[in-house]
């Protein structure tokens, strides 16, 4: 029988429902600060979430709507916008205005008590992910959590690269890992890496296709604990 080796969490939409009231707000403030005539509505941001990564979302948006001004150096523009956006998002995190989703702290505590490895795998900026983990989960929990984020891999979700990196770095059997995701692209990445996947639907992803998921729930407080995670990896492949 296989034994659970690790719990791996996505960040945005899984640990904290950050997309609508965190990242989107920070992007819009960054656009205003930099004099860029862009304002992402909730509906527009939902469309852009089909692309993983903040820089990639801005590139798609400007490709579709037109680049600001002459935009001679598009790479520099995207870099400057993303840096400012990250600073603004950090302010939101540090203010404690983005609470953890239900069940996250409990499941992390269960894993720590049982000596199960923990990791966060996210396409978001590493600085923001690290700060979110430390501030929202606390320093004591955070020291047990390995973080893989941002541009640490060349290909972002739905490519499995970030999950493959976590497995190789932490010397984990993918079949003994359970991932918690909230999006179709995250689910696709986790399954392509050979891992089990629990989906917690979030505000922007409730209607996505989650047929590949092992379990789909509104949040982790709906009967999801370490026992259920262990049961997933105990199934014969």
């Amino acid at each position: 029988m296989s034994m659970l080796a690790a719990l791996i969490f996505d960040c945005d939409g899984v640990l904290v429902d950050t997309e609508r009231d965190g990242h989107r707000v920070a992007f819009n403030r960054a656009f205003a600060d930099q004099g860029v005539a862009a304002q992402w509505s909730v509906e527009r941001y939902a469309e852009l979430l089909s692309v993983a990564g903040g820089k990639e979302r801005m590139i798609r948006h400007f490709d579709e709507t037109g680049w600001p001004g002459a935009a001679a150096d598009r790479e520099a523009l995207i870099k400057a916008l993303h840096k400012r956006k990250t600073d603004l998002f950090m302010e939101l995190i540090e203010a404690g205005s983005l609470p953890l989703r239900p069940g996250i702290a409990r499941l992390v505590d269960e894993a720590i008590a049982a000596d199960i490895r923990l990791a966060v795998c996210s396409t978001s900026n590493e600085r923001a992910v690290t700060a979110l983990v430390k501030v929202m989960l606390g320093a004591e929990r955070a020291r047990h959590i390995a973080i893989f984020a941002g541009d640490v891999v060349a290909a972002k979700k739905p490519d499995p690269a970030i999950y493959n990196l976590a497995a190789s770095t932490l010397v984990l059997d993918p079949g003994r890992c359970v991932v918690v995701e909230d999006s179709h692209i995250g689910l696709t990445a986790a399954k392509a890496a050979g891992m089990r996947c629990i989906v917690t639907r979030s505000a922007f992803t409730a209607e996505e296709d989650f047929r590949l998921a092992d379990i789909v729930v509104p949040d982790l407080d709906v009967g999801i604990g370490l026992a259920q995670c262990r049961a997933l990896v105990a199934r014969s492949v």
Side-chain angles (χ1 to χ4, degrees):
M1 179 183 292
S2 296
M3 300 291 288
L4 177 65
L7 285 176
I8 304 176
F9 297 89
D10 177 41
C11 183
D12 298 306
V14 171
L15 298 182
V16 178
D17 205 348
T18 53
E19 297 293 6
R20 184 183 65 183
D21 300 321
H23 287 292
R24 185 185 68 88
V25 169
F27 273 117
N28 285 337
R29 290 178 182 173
F31 296 149
D33 285 355
Q34 299 293 315
V36 172
Q39 182 78 11
W40 288 351
S41 65
V42 171
E43 294 74 21
R44 177 56 174 165
Y45 194 67
E47 295 172 355
L48 295 173
L49 285 177
S50 63
V51 177
K55 293 193 263 320
E56 291 78 6
R57 288 171 194 151
M58 285 190 286
I59 291 169
R60 174 186 161 181
H61 176 77
F62 294 134
D63 280 346
E64 292 177 353
T65 65
W67 284 78
D73 191 341
R74 294 180 176 183
E75 184 176 349
L77 173 66
I78 293 297
K79 185 177 180 180
L81 284 170
H82 197 260
K83 182 180 183 303
R84 181 59 182 146
K85 174 262 173 183
T86 299
D87 289 340
L88 292 164
F89 182 64
M90 293 284 288
E91 292 176 11
L92 291 172
I93 293 172
E94 290 163 0
S97 57
L98 301 171
L100 287 171
R101 290 196 67 191
I104 292 294
R106 172 186 50 77
L107 188 54
V108 167
D109 287 343
E110 288 182 28
I112 292 171
D115 200 26
I116 302 297
R117 300 295 297 272
L118 289 162
V120 170
C121 288
S122 173
T123 56
S124 291
N125 177 273
E126 183 177 6
R127 176 182 164 213
V129 173
T130 299
L132 192 149
V133 168
K134 288 182 177 178
V135 172
M136 304 312 300
L137 281 166
E140 178 58 29
R141 292 188 183 105
R143 71 183 186 86
H144 295 276
I145 301 172
I147 293 175
F148 302 88
D151 298 321
V152 69
V153 291
K156 296 188 176 181
K157 302 172 186 178
D159 192 284
I162 199 160
Y163 286 120
N164 292 337
L165 177 64
S168 61
T169 302
L170 300 177
V171 194
L172 298 169
D173 175 357
R176 296 174 60 196
C177 298
V178 172
V179 172
V180 183
E181 273 282 0
D182 75 308
S183 69
H184 175 74
I185 60 174
L187 167 63
T188 302
K191 298 301 282 189
M195 299 177 179
R196 302 291 187 180
C197 188
I198 297 170
V199 167
T200 57
R201 298 181 187 272
S202 64
F204 279 115
T205 67
E207 303 305 317
E208 292 185 6
D209 180 2
F210 295 130
R211 284 175 290 179
L212 287 177
D214 294 281
I215 299 175
V216 181
V217 290
D219 60 61
L220 293 178
D221 265 353
V222 185
I224 301 298
L226 210 56
Q228 287 70 34
C229 297
R230 284 183 168 129
L232 287 182
V233 301
R235 295 176 183 174
S236 58
V237 179

